[in-house]
């Protein structure tokens, strides 16, 4: 248990110390942070974690004294790890700059220890090495579990027994999947809590670290023109759309036992929905925000099969290129019925959102890559322009679009007069296009989240009761899909997805954006 957090619970810290503990702080001269990437030889570590740590170093966001350790079973020397890591580092932040000097400095702080995931002795050896680098300072330790979920508990057990900090904090970042239903998720939580307290567990959902998702609360709670409209009175429906223009290439093995509903909807899209729909939190404190998220999740109706459409992509030849179908992947069983696409209508049974359909759509191998929140407003009652100019009210409603990626933007569709002597109307965008407005590169979600974990800021991490509430919504549906062996509707690679998604939205008088 982190010493500070333990003392704070016992009331042993001064008010000032407690505040620092809650909001987090970069450790000072006498403190050090050791970051251990468990599973350092893997895909996520190379692709996201080491580059994010370098970006934080480049931006001077890491504490003065820090060390990065890679830990995995593969045999590697420190030099080999540095060589592996260096291949994925880029000068993303400022492409004009030559950041090789900074890279060298960063790599000199990276080390490697090879060990088994369930060996307390191997973690003791790691502990010894960490201590050498910590040089007698207060040691704070962050472990990032970038490994398959079936070995999370082994690592937590060995690391907490043999390599947790004796005089600073110890925190553990856990990657998804957090189980595959309510029962397995609860078992994982119980397993983690045998060795850690909730405050030490940082469950990551990288969508919460995306710039426009973080901005959602700012947009809503700091602009008078939005908050009063944020209810069933003015909003007709809300859509959460995730689409990728590539298939499960290379990750078919993992994907086939999870499917798109668990991979994207139950976590990424539901987290955004909760932030979108929650009541105003008492403050921006992590616990206040997470309390509101739990409340709104618990007000939702569990998903029902007749409000869900599932699909799977099939092969398709386009421009002479043969795009493989999902089951053509060698790591996927030929008769797999795992959905690679799903659309769903969800409802929140509270006073603010009664009757408003929240639609979700997520799919792989579609025609485009995008993640968006689309808010469609009701029509203007007694609209003058309908009477005089035959305006189609359904098409003329305002729409707020928050484009999370790519090409981040927020735009509001409004009705406007086309300039000229006559009276002709069209739909135009009030457009906040990030690339045009802000010159600075947008940080990767993993940078934000790693920095928050180092600083002890928990706002963007998932608390266990949030996770339970999220699984409670999806578990009955997932069980029914599996028990009834529901066969997904096939859609060609690179298409807009199954037509069933349109019937579903039409049922609620919604047109997908
Ligand atoms: P990998 O499959 O690449 O595994 C990471 C490392 O874990 C491997 O290099 C290997 O290291 C060790 N490992 C792999 N399989 C086993 C096994 N069966 N038993 C013991 N050790 C094993 O995973 P990723 O890097 O892709 O992902 C890490 C975590 O992050 C997972 O929980 C994944 O679900 C999650 N995640 C990944 C994403 C991605 O884009 N890759 C995206 C979002 C989440 P060694 O053999 O050297 O010990
Ligand atoms: C991961 C999913 O959580 O998110 C992947 O497991 C998906 O299937 C990825 O491709 C998408 O993340 P991003 O940040 O590239 O949109």
């Amino acid at each position: 248990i982190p010493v500070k957090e333990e003392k704070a619970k016992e009331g042993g810290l001064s008010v000032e110390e407690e505040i620092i503990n809650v909001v987090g702080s970069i450790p000072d001269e006498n403190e050090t942070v050791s970051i251990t990437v468990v599973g350092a030889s893997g895909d996520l570590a190379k692709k996201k974690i080491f580059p994010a740590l370098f970006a934080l170093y480049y931006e001077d966001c890491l504490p003065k004294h820090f060390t990065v350790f890679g830990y995995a079973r593969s045999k590697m020397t420190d030099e080999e790890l540095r060589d592996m890591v260096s291949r994925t580092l880029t000068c993303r932040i400022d492409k004009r700059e030559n950041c090789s000097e900074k890279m060298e400095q960063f790599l000199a702080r990276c080390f490697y220890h090879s060990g088994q995931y369930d060996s307390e002795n191997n973690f003791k050896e790691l502990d010894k090495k960490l201590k050498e680098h910590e040089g007698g300072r207060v040691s704070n330790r962050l472990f990032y579990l970038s490994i398959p979920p079936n070995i999370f508990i082994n690592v937590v057990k060995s690391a907490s027994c043999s390599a947790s900090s004796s005089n600073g904090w110890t925190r553990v970042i856990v990657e998804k999947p957090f189980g595959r239903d309510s029962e397995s998720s609860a078992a994982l939580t119980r397993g983690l809590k045998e060795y850690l307290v909730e405050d030490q567990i940082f469950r990551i959902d990288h969508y919460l670290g995306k710039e426009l998702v973080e901005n959602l609360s700012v947009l809503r709670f700091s602009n008078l023109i939005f908050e009063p409209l944020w209810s069933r009175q003015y909003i007709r429906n809300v859509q959460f759309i995730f689409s990728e223009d590539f298939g499960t290439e290379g990750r078919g093995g993992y994907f086939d036992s999870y499917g798109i509903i668990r991979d994207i909807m139950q976590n990424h899209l539901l987290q955004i929905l909760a932030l979108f729909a929650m009541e105003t939190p008492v403050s921006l404190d992590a616990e206040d925000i997470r309390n509101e998220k739990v409340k709104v999740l618990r007000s939702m109706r569990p998903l029902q099969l007749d409000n869900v459409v599932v699909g799977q992509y099939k092969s398709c030849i386009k421009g002479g290129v043969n795009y493989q179908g999902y089951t053509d992947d060698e790591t996927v069983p030929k008769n797999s019925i795992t959905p690679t696409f799903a659309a769903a209508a969800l409802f929140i049974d509270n006073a603010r959102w009664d009757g408003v359909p929240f639609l979700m759509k997520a799919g792989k191998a579609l025609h485009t890559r995008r993640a968006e929140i689309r808010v469609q407003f009701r029509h203007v009652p007694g609209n003058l322009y309908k009477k005089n100019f035959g305006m189609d009210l359904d098409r003329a409603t305002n729409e707020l679009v928050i484009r999370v990626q790519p090409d981040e933007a927020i735009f509001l569709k409004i009705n406007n007069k086309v300039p000229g002597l006559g009276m002709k109307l069209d739909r135009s965008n009030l457009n906040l296009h990030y690339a045009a407005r802000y010159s600075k590169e947008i940080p990767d979600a993993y940078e934000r989240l790693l920095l928050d974990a180092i600083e002890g800021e928990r706002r963007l991490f998932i608390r266990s009761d949030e996770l339970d509430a999220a699984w409670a919504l999806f578990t009955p549906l997932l069980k029914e899909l599996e028990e009834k062996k529901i066969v997904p509707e096939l859609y060609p690679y690179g298409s807009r997805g199954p037509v069933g998604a349109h019937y579903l939205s039409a049922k609620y008088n919604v047109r997908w954006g």
Side-chain angles (χ1 to χ4, degrees), residues 126-170:
L126 172 73
D127 180 62
K128 196 161 163 254
K129 287 190 182 171
L130 293 178
K131 283 196 174 115
E132 283 165 19
H133 289 278
E134 288 162 353
R137 296 183 186 86
V138 172
S139 88
N140 297 307
R141 293 186 179 176
L142 178 65
F143 291 86
Y144 196 129
L145 304 192
S146 182
I147 42 174
N150 58 320
I151 47 176
F152 285 169
I153 305 292
N154 288 342
V155 171
V156 167
K157 178 171 185 264
S158 314
S160 66
C161 294
S162 310
S164 62
S165 166
S166 55
N167 58 0
W169 50 254
T170 302

Short mmCIF file of all heavy atoms in Angstrom, two decimals, residues 126-170:
data_model
loop_
_atom_site.label_atom_id
_atom_site.label_comp_id
_atom_site.label_asym_id
_atom_site.label_seq_id
_atom_site.Cartn_x
_atom_site.Cartn_y
_atom_site.Cartn_z
N LEU A 126 14.63 -8.00 -9.73
CA LEU A 126 14.25 -6.70 -10.30
C LEU A 126 14.31 -5.63 -9.21
O LEU A 126 14.86 -4.54 -9.40
CB LEU A 126 12.84 -6.77 -10.90
CG LEU A 126 12.26 -5.44 -11.36
CD1 LEU A 126 12.96 -4.96 -12.65
CD2 LEU A 126 10.76 -5.53 -11.62
N ASP A 127 13.77 -5.97 -8.04
CA ASP A 127 13.74 -5.04 -6.91
C ASP A 127 15.17 -4.55 -6.59
O ASP A 127 15.41 -3.36 -6.36
CB ASP A 127 13.13 -5.75 -5.70
CG ASP A 127 13.07 -4.87 -4.47
OD1 ASP A 127 12.37 -3.84 -4.54
OD2 ASP A 127 13.73 -5.18 -3.46
N LYS A 128 16.09 -5.49 -6.61
CA LYS A 128 17.49 -5.14 -6.30
C LYS A 128 18.02 -4.12 -7.32
O LYS A 128 18.62 -3.12 -6.97
CB LYS A 128 18.32 -6.44 -6.34
CG LYS A 128 19.66 -6.32 -5.69
CD LYS A 128 20.21 -7.71 -5.35
CE LYS A 128 21.70 -7.56 -5.09
NZ LYS A 128 22.54 -8.08 -6.16
N LYS A 129 17.72 -4.40 -8.59
CA LYS A 129 18.21 -3.48 -9.64
C LYS A 129 17.54 -2.12 -9.50
O LYS A 129 18.17 -1.08 -9.67
CB LYS A 129 17.91 -4.04 -11.03
CG LYS A 129 18.81 -5.20 -11.41
CD LYS A 129 18.62 -5.53 -12.88
CE LYS A 129 19.46 -6.72 -13.29
NZ LYS A 129 19.15 -7.18 -14.65
N LEU A 130 16.22 -2.14 -9.20
CA LEU A 130 15.51 -0.86 -9.06
C LEU A 130 16.15 -0.04 -7.94
O LEU A 130 16.39 1.16 -8.08
CB LEU A 130 14.02 -1.09 -8.76
CG LEU A 130 13.16 -1.71 -9.86
CD1 LEU A 130 11.73 -1.92 -9.38
CD2 LEU A 130 13.14 -0.83 -11.11
N LYS A 131 16.45 -0.72 -6.82
CA LYS A 131 17.04 -0.02 -5.68
C LYS A 131 18.37 0.63 -6.05
O LYS A 131 18.66 1.76 -5.64
CB LYS A 131 17.24 -0.98 -4.51
CG LYS A 131 15.94 -1.27 -3.77
CD LYS A 131 16.21 -1.90 -2.42
CE LYS A 131 14.92 -2.05 -1.64
NZ LYS A 131 14.57 -3.45 -1.41
N GLU A 132 19.16 -0.09 -6.85
CA GLU A 132 20.47 0.49 -7.25
C GLU A 132 20.25 1.82 -7.97
O GLU A 132 20.96 2.78 -7.77
CB GLU A 132 21.21 -0.47 -8.19
CG GLU A 132 21.85 -1.63 -7.46
CD GLU A 132 22.25 -2.74 -8.43
OE1 GLU A 132 22.36 -2.49 -9.65
OE2 GLU A 132 22.42 -3.89 -7.93
N HIS A 133 19.21 1.85 -8.82
CA HIS A 133 18.95 3.08 -9.58
C HIS A 133 18.29 4.15 -8.73
O HIS A 133 18.45 5.34 -9.00
CB HIS A 133 18.09 2.77 -10.80
CG HIS A 133 18.83 2.01 -11.84
ND1 HIS A 133 19.66 2.61 -12.76
CD2 HIS A 133 18.91 0.68 -12.07
CE1 HIS A 133 20.20 1.68 -13.53
NE2 HIS A 133 19.77 0.50 -13.13
N GLU A 134 17.55 3.72 -7.74
CA GLU A 134 16.82 4.70 -6.92
C GLU A 134 17.76 5.45 -5.98
O GLU A 134 17.40 6.54 -5.48
CB GLU A 134 15.69 3.99 -6.14
CG GLU A 134 14.56 3.59 -7.08
CD GLU A 134 13.61 2.53 -6.53
OE1 GLU A 134 13.89 1.98 -5.43
OE2 GLU A 134 12.61 2.23 -7.19
N GLY A 135 18.90 4.88 -5.72
CA GLY A 135 19.97 5.58 -4.98
C GLY A 135 19.54 6.10 -3.61
O GLY A 135 19.91 7.21 -3.25
N GLY A 136 18.72 5.33 -2.91
CA GLY A 136 18.36 5.71 -1.55
C GLY A 136 17.28 6.78 -1.44
O GLY A 136 16.90 7.18 -0.34
N ARG A 137 16.78 7.25 -2.60
CA ARG A 137 15.69 8.25 -2.54
C ARG A 137 14.37 7.56 -2.20
O ARG A 137 14.27 6.34 -2.29
CB ARG A 137 15.53 8.95 -3.88
CG ARG A 137 16.74 9.76 -4.28
CD ARG A 137 16.49 10.47 -5.60
NE ARG A 137 17.71 11.12 -6.03
CZ ARG A 137 18.66 10.51 -6.73
NH1 ARG A 137 18.51 9.25 -7.10
NH2 ARG A 137 19.76 11.15 -7.05
N VAL A 138 13.35 8.37 -1.90
CA VAL A 138 12.00 7.80 -1.73
C VAL A 138 11.64 7.16 -3.07
O VAL A 138 11.74 7.81 -4.11
CB VAL A 138 10.97 8.90 -1.38
CG1 VAL A 138 9.56 8.33 -1.40
CG2 VAL A 138 11.31 9.53 -0.04
N SER A 139 11.26 5.90 -3.03
CA SER A 139 11.04 5.23 -4.32
C SER A 139 9.55 5.08 -4.61
O SER A 139 8.80 4.54 -3.80
CB SER A 139 11.73 3.86 -4.30
OG SER A 139 10.88 2.88 -3.79
N ASN A 140 9.14 5.60 -5.75
CA ASN A 140 7.77 5.41 -6.21
C ASN A 140 7.81 4.46 -7.40
O ASN A 140 8.67 4.62 -8.27
CB ASN A 140 7.17 6.75 -6.62
CG ASN A 140 7.09 7.71 -5.45
OD1 ASN A 140 6.54 7.37 -4.41
ND2 ASN A 140 7.67 8.89 -5.60
N ARG A 141 6.91 3.51 -7.41
CA ARG A 141 7.01 2.48 -8.46
C ARG A 141 5.70 2.30 -9.22
O ARG A 141 4.64 2.11 -8.62
CB ARG A 141 7.45 1.15 -7.84
CG ARG A 141 8.88 1.26 -7.32
CD ARG A 141 9.40 -0.06 -6.85
NE ARG A 141 10.78 0.07 -6.39
CZ ARG A 141 11.48 -0.90 -5.85
NH1 ARG A 141 10.94 -2.10 -5.69
NH2 ARG A 141 12.73 -0.70 -5.46
N LEU A 142 5.84 2.37 -10.53
CA LEU A 142 4.67 2.17 -11.40
C LEU A 142 4.92 0.92 -12.25
O LEU A 142 5.94 0.83 -12.95
CB LEU A 142 4.51 3.40 -12.31
CG LEU A 142 3.37 3.35 -13.32
CD1 LEU A 142 2.01 3.33 -12.63
CD2 LEU A 142 3.42 4.58 -14.26
N PHE A 143 3.99 -0.02 -12.19
CA PHE A 143 4.08 -1.23 -13.01
C PHE A 143 3.00 -1.16 -14.08
O PHE A 143 1.83 -0.92 -13.76
CB PHE A 143 3.86 -2.50 -12.16
CG PHE A 143 5.00 -2.75 -11.20
CD1 PHE A 143 5.03 -2.14 -9.96
CD2 PHE A 143 6.06 -3.58 -11.56
CE1 PHE A 143 6.08 -2.35 -9.08
CE2 PHE A 143 7.12 -3.79 -10.69
CZ PHE A 143 7.13 -3.18 -9.44
N TYR A 144 3.38 -1.34 -15.34
CA TYR A 144 2.42 -1.33 -16.43
C TYR A 144 2.26 -2.77 -16.92
O TYR A 144 3.20 -3.34 -17.45
CB TYR A 144 2.94 -0.42 -17.56
CG TYR A 144 1.86 -0.04 -18.56
CD1 TYR A 144 1.66 1.29 -18.92
CD2 TYR A 144 1.07 -1.01 -19.17
CE1 TYR A 144 0.67 1.65 -19.84
CE2 TYR A 144 0.09 -0.66 -20.08
CZ TYR A 144 -0.10 0.66 -20.40
OH TYR A 144 -1.08 1.01 -21.31
N LEU A 145 1.07 -3.34 -16.74
CA LEU A 145 0.86 -4.74 -17.14
C LEU A 145 0.47 -4.82 -18.62
O LEU A 145 -0.71 -4.80 -18.96
CB LEU A 145 -0.23 -5.39 -16.28
CG LEU A 145 -0.04 -5.37 -14.78
CD1 LEU A 145 -1.03 -6.30 -14.10
CD2 LEU A 145 1.37 -5.73 -14.37
N SER A 146 1.49 -4.91 -19.44
CA SER A 146 1.23 -4.99 -20.89
C SER A 146 1.39 -6.44 -21.33
O SER A 146 2.28 -6.77 -22.12
CB SER A 146 2.20 -4.05 -21.61
OG SER A 146 1.94 -4.09 -22.98
N ILE A 147 0.56 -7.28 -20.77
CA ILE A 147 0.65 -8.73 -20.95
C ILE A 147 -0.76 -9.30 -21.12
O ILE A 147 -1.73 -8.63 -20.79
CB ILE A 147 1.29 -9.39 -19.70
CG1 ILE A 147 0.71 -8.72 -18.44
CG2 ILE A 147 2.81 -9.33 -19.74
CD1 ILE A 147 1.13 -9.35 -17.15
N PRO A 148 -0.87 -10.55 -21.59
CA PRO A 148 -2.21 -11.13 -21.69
C PRO A 148 -2.87 -11.21 -20.31
O PRO A 148 -2.18 -11.45 -19.30
CB PRO A 148 -1.95 -12.52 -22.26
CG PRO A 148 -0.61 -12.43 -22.92
CD PRO A 148 0.17 -11.44 -22.13
N PRO A 149 -4.20 -11.05 -20.25
CA PRO A 149 -4.89 -10.95 -18.95
C PRO A 149 -4.77 -12.18 -18.06
O PRO A 149 -4.85 -12.06 -16.84
CB PRO A 149 -6.35 -10.71 -19.35
CG PRO A 149 -6.44 -11.00 -20.79
CD PRO A 149 -5.09 -10.86 -21.38
N ASN A 150 -4.56 -13.37 -18.67
CA ASN A 150 -4.50 -14.57 -17.82
C ASN A 150 -3.29 -14.58 -16.89
O ASN A 150 -3.23 -15.40 -15.96
CB ASN A 150 -4.56 -15.84 -18.68
CG ASN A 150 -3.42 -15.90 -19.69
OD1 ASN A 150 -3.06 -14.88 -20.28
ND2 ASN A 150 -2.84 -17.06 -19.88
N ILE A 151 -2.33 -13.68 -17.10
CA ILE A 151 -1.18 -13.67 -16.19
C ILE A 151 -1.12 -12.40 -15.32
O ILE A 151 -0.16 -12.20 -14.58
CB ILE A 151 0.16 -13.89 -16.94
CG1 ILE A 151 0.26 -13.02 -18.19
CG2 ILE A 151 0.34 -15.35 -17.28
CD1 ILE A 151 1.60 -13.14 -18.92
N PHE A 152 -2.17 -11.56 -15.38
CA PHE A 152 -2.20 -10.35 -14.54
C PHE A 152 -1.95 -10.68 -13.06
O PHE A 152 -1.13 -10.07 -12.39
CB PHE A 152 -3.58 -9.65 -14.61
CG PHE A 152 -3.85 -8.89 -15.87
CD1 PHE A 152 -5.15 -8.41 -16.13
CD2 PHE A 152 -2.87 -8.61 -16.81
CE1 PHE A 152 -5.44 -7.69 -17.28
CE2 PHE A 152 -3.16 -7.89 -17.97
CZ PHE A 152 -4.43 -7.44 -18.20
N ILE A 153 -2.72 -11.66 -12.56
CA ILE A 153 -2.69 -11.92 -11.12
C ILE A 153 -1.32 -12.47 -10.69
O ILE A 153 -0.79 -12.07 -9.65
CB ILE A 153 -3.82 -12.90 -10.70
CG1 ILE A 153 -5.18 -12.37 -11.17
CG2 ILE A 153 -3.82 -13.15 -9.19
CD1 ILE A 153 -5.68 -11.13 -10.48
N ASN A 154 -0.75 -13.36 -11.53
CA ASN A 154 0.60 -13.88 -11.21
C ASN A 154 1.57 -12.74 -11.00
O ASN A 154 2.34 -12.72 -10.05
CB ASN A 154 1.14 -14.72 -12.38
CG ASN A 154 0.42 -16.05 -12.48
OD1 ASN A 154 -0.21 -16.46 -11.52
ND2 ASN A 154 0.51 -16.68 -13.63
N VAL A 155 1.52 -11.79 -11.93
CA VAL A 155 2.47 -10.68 -11.87
C VAL A 155 2.21 -9.82 -10.64
O VAL A 155 3.13 -9.46 -9.90
CB VAL A 155 2.40 -9.82 -13.16
CG1 VAL A 155 3.21 -8.54 -13.02
CG2 VAL A 155 2.87 -10.62 -14.35
N VAL A 156 0.94 -9.51 -10.42
CA VAL A 156 0.61 -8.63 -9.28
C VAL A 156 1.05 -9.29 -7.98
O VAL A 156 1.60 -8.65 -7.08
CB VAL A 156 -0.90 -8.30 -9.30
CG1 VAL A 156 -1.34 -7.69 -7.99
CG2 VAL A 156 -1.19 -7.35 -10.44
N LYS A 157 0.82 -10.60 -7.89
CA LYS A 157 1.21 -11.32 -6.67
C LYS A 157 2.74 -11.24 -6.49
O LYS A 157 3.23 -10.80 -5.45
CB LYS A 157 0.78 -12.79 -6.80
CG LYS A 157 1.16 -13.65 -5.63
CD LYS A 157 0.47 -15.02 -5.77
CE LYS A 157 0.73 -15.89 -4.56
NZ LYS A 157 1.81 -16.82 -4.69
N SER A 158 3.49 -11.62 -7.53
CA SER A 158 4.95 -11.66 -7.39
C SER A 158 5.51 -10.26 -7.18
O SER A 158 6.37 -10.05 -6.33
CB SER A 158 5.60 -12.24 -8.65
OG SER A 158 4.94 -13.39 -9.05
N ALA A 159 4.99 -9.29 -7.96
CA ALA A 159 5.55 -7.93 -7.85
C ALA A 159 5.21 -7.31 -6.51
O ALA A 159 6.05 -6.66 -5.89
CB ALA A 159 5.02 -7.06 -8.99
N SER A 160 3.97 -7.55 -6.02
CA SER A 160 3.62 -6.88 -4.75
C SER A 160 4.38 -7.52 -3.59
O SER A 160 4.73 -6.84 -2.63
CB SER A 160 2.11 -6.88 -4.51
OG SER A 160 1.69 -8.20 -4.32
N CYS A 161 4.66 -8.82 -3.70
CA CYS A 161 5.40 -9.46 -2.61
C CYS A 161 6.88 -9.08 -2.66
O CYS A 161 7.52 -8.95 -1.62
CB CYS A 161 5.29 -10.98 -2.70
SG CYS A 161 3.63 -11.55 -2.43
N SER A 162 7.43 -8.92 -3.87
CA SER A 162 8.89 -8.81 -3.95
C SER A 162 9.41 -7.49 -4.48
O SER A 162 10.60 -7.20 -4.33
CB SER A 162 9.44 -9.90 -4.88
OG SER A 162 8.94 -11.13 -4.50
N ALA A 163 8.56 -6.70 -5.15
CA ALA A 163 9.16 -5.51 -5.78
C ALA A 163 8.35 -4.24 -5.56
O ALA A 163 8.51 -3.27 -6.29
CB ALA A 163 9.32 -5.77 -7.29
N SER A 164 7.46 -4.23 -4.54
CA SER A 164 6.72 -2.97 -4.33
C SER A 164 7.59 -2.03 -3.51
O SER A 164 8.53 -2.45 -2.84
CB SER A 164 5.36 -3.22 -3.71
OG SER A 164 5.51 -3.80 -2.46
N SER A 165 7.26 -0.78 -3.56
CA SER A 165 8.09 0.22 -2.87
C SER A 165 7.94 0.08 -1.36
O SER A 165 6.85 -0.20 -0.85
CB SER A 165 7.63 1.61 -3.31
OG SER A 165 8.18 2.56 -2.44
N SER A 166 9.03 0.32 -0.66
CA SER A 166 8.95 0.21 0.80
C SER A 166 8.71 1.58 1.45
O SER A 166 8.32 1.67 2.60
CB SER A 166 10.22 -0.41 1.35
OG SER A 166 11.32 0.35 0.89
N ASN A 167 8.97 2.66 0.69
CA ASN A 167 8.81 3.97 1.34
C ASN A 167 8.06 5.00 0.48
O ASN A 167 7.92 6.14 0.88
CB ASN A 167 10.17 4.53 1.75
CG ASN A 167 11.11 4.67 0.55
OD1 ASN A 167 10.73 4.35 -0.57
ND2 ASN A 167 12.31 5.14 0.78
N GLY A 168 7.58 4.60 -0.71
CA GLY A 168 6.82 5.53 -1.56
C GLY A 168 5.54 4.84 -2.00
O GLY A 168 5.07 3.93 -1.34
N TRP A 169 5.00 5.29 -3.12
CA TRP A 169 3.79 4.61 -3.60
C TRP A 169 4.13 3.50 -4.60
O TRP A 169 5.18 3.54 -5.24
CB TRP A 169 2.79 5.59 -4.18
CG TRP A 169 3.26 6.59 -5.21
CD1 TRP A 169 3.46 7.92 -5.01
CD2 TRP A 169 3.57 6.35 -6.61
NE1 TRP A 169 3.87 8.53 -6.18
CE2 TRP A 169 3.94 7.59 -7.18
CE3 TRP A 169 3.57 5.22 -7.41
CZ2 TRP A 169 4.32 7.72 -8.53
CZ3 TRP A 169 3.94 5.35 -8.76
CH2 TRP A 169 4.31 6.59 -9.30
N THR A 170 3.19 2.55 -4.73
CA THR A 170 3.27 1.53 -5.77
C THR A 170 1.94 1.54 -6.50
O THR A 170 0.88 1.45 -5.85
CB THR A 170 3.49 0.13 -5.16
OG1 THR A 170 4.69 0.17 -4.40
CG2 THR A 170 3.62 -0.93 -6.25
#
